[in-house]
Amino acid sequence: KAGVTQTPRYLIKTRGQQVTLSCSPISGHRSVSWYQQTPGQGLQFLFEYFSETQRNKGNFPGRFSGRQFSNSRSEMNVSTLELGDSALYLCASSRDRAEDYEQYFGPGTRLTVT
Amino acid sequence: AQTVTQSQPEMSVQEAETVTLSCTYDTSENNYYLFWYKQPPSRQMILVIRQEAYKQQNATENRFSVNFQKAAKSFSLKISDSQLGDTAMYFCAFMKHLTVGTASKLTFGTGTRLQVTL
């Protein structure tokens, strides 16, 4: 069974640009969550999608947005990039099943903003 | 809001020894999950062990076990017979119990960097 995949793995952008990151969940998983990981702030929740609907959103500015497609693949977009957006962006998928709940993480996308 | 605290930024243990990583959390929820995730230097986060708050028995997965103290809001991870491959960042995480229609959101601690040495 293939794991969570994220593309691209590395990205370098300049301030003011926008970026789109992609996440393909494990087959059969309908929930996709996004996290930002930085040395200073640690792991922070961005948002979660389930069946194409955003169910939860973290405390991030509106420049951060996402969406989920009918095949459960998800994208997140960051507009007007700032230096502070440099981070590892992790995507996780789950079956949304209570009895053995687990979020499976992808390898992440390393975004560098210059 | 939930908070998760890991008070040990770094720890070191010799191969084959036992080490315990600490985690405390704060919540007003009664039903929830607690997790330990491992992030090796290659960065892929993997689940080490899961505990559901309503289960009194401590979870165990091979060399990994937890000491879950619900009243004290403490959730420590014990690694027995440490191996070089255990070298990684370890994150403690909290999530409200999943019910129909609720969103899943992990709240992480700041992590403990574990170094296993020869």
Side-chain angles (χ1 to χ4, degrees):
Chain A
K1 196 177 195 180
V4 178
T5 58
Q6 292 187 246
T7 56
R9 293 291 307 276
Y10 303 91
L11 208 46
I12 300 175
K13 292 284 188 179
T14 56
R15 276 181 298 175
Q17 287 187 314
Q18 75 163 11
V19 67
T20 299
L21 313 182
S22 181
C23 171
S24 292
I26 291 172
S27 178
H29 289 192
R30 294 197 292 166
S31 171
V32 174
S33 300
W34 289 89
Y35 297 87
Q36 182 196 64
Q37 186 175 22
T38 60
Q41 299 298 316
L43 280 151
Q44 294 187 289
F45 172 77
L46 279 155
F47 27 65
E48 188 245 359
Y49 286 87
F50 181 81
S51 292
E52 302 179 66
T53 301
Q54 187 182 86
R55 286 199 302 192
N56 200 358
K57 190 177 190 304
N59 190 25
F60 278 82
R63 300 184 298 107
F64 291 81
S65 63
R67 59 178 175 169
Q68 187 180 35
F69 302 94
S70 58
N71 62 357
S72 294
R73 189 178 70 85
S74 178
E75 290 181 347
M76 66 163 282
N77 183 275
V78 188
S79 62
T80 320
L81 284 165
E82 300 177 0
L83 294 178
D85 298 332
S86 294
L88 180 66
Y89 289 90
L90 294 169
C91 162
S93 74
S94 67
R95 275 183 295 203
D96 217 46
R97 194 170 73 183
E99 58 270 24
D100 59 354
Y101 185 81
E102 178 179 349
Q103 288 194 13
Y104 296 80
F105 284 82
T109 294
R110 170 74 65 188
L111 172 64
T112 302
V113 182
T114 62
Chain B
Q2 286 68 229
T3 59
V4 178
T5 301
Q6 294 180 250
S7 59
Q8 306 153 314
E10 294 186 1
M11 294 193 72
S12 182
V13 64
Q14 286 194 317
E15 200 176 22
E17 298 295 305
T18 295
V19 64
T20 298
L21 309 184
S22 301
C23 173
T24 58
Y25 59 95
D26 190 27
T27 185
S28 57
E29 300 287 333
N30 190 47
N31 292 322
Y32 48 87
Y33 306 93
L34 292 163
F35 306 88
W36 279 98
Y37 276 90
K38 167 185 176 181
Q39 189 178 39
S42 64
R43 297 190 323 226
Q44 189 115 17
M45 191 95 73
I46 56 173
L47 180 68
V48 174
I49 200 163
R50 170 184 55 241
Q51 176 82 41
E52 295 183 63
Y54 72 89
K55 292 184 178 177
Q56 293 187 342
Q57 187 171 8
N58 289 326
T60 300
E61 289 286 344
N62 301 314
R63 299 183 294 108
F64 299 88
S65 61
V66 298
N67 183 1
F68 173 49
Q69 302 290 327
K70 191 174 183 180
K73 295 181 180 173
S74 170
F75 183 61
S76 61
L77 174 70
K78 186 171 83 170
I79 306 174
S80 304
D81 186 26
S82 296
Q83 300 175 0
L84 295 177
D86 295 333
T87 293
M89 279 289 285
Y90 286 81
F91 292 97
C92 178
F94 171 100
M95 197 183 91
K96 291 183 191 178
H97 199 269
L98 203 64
T99 55
V100 174
T102 61
S104 46
K105 167 192 168 183
L106 289 169
T107 300
F108 288 92
T110 50
T112 296
R113 187 177 303 280
L114 177 68
Q115 180 72 46
V116 181
T117 59
L118 291 169

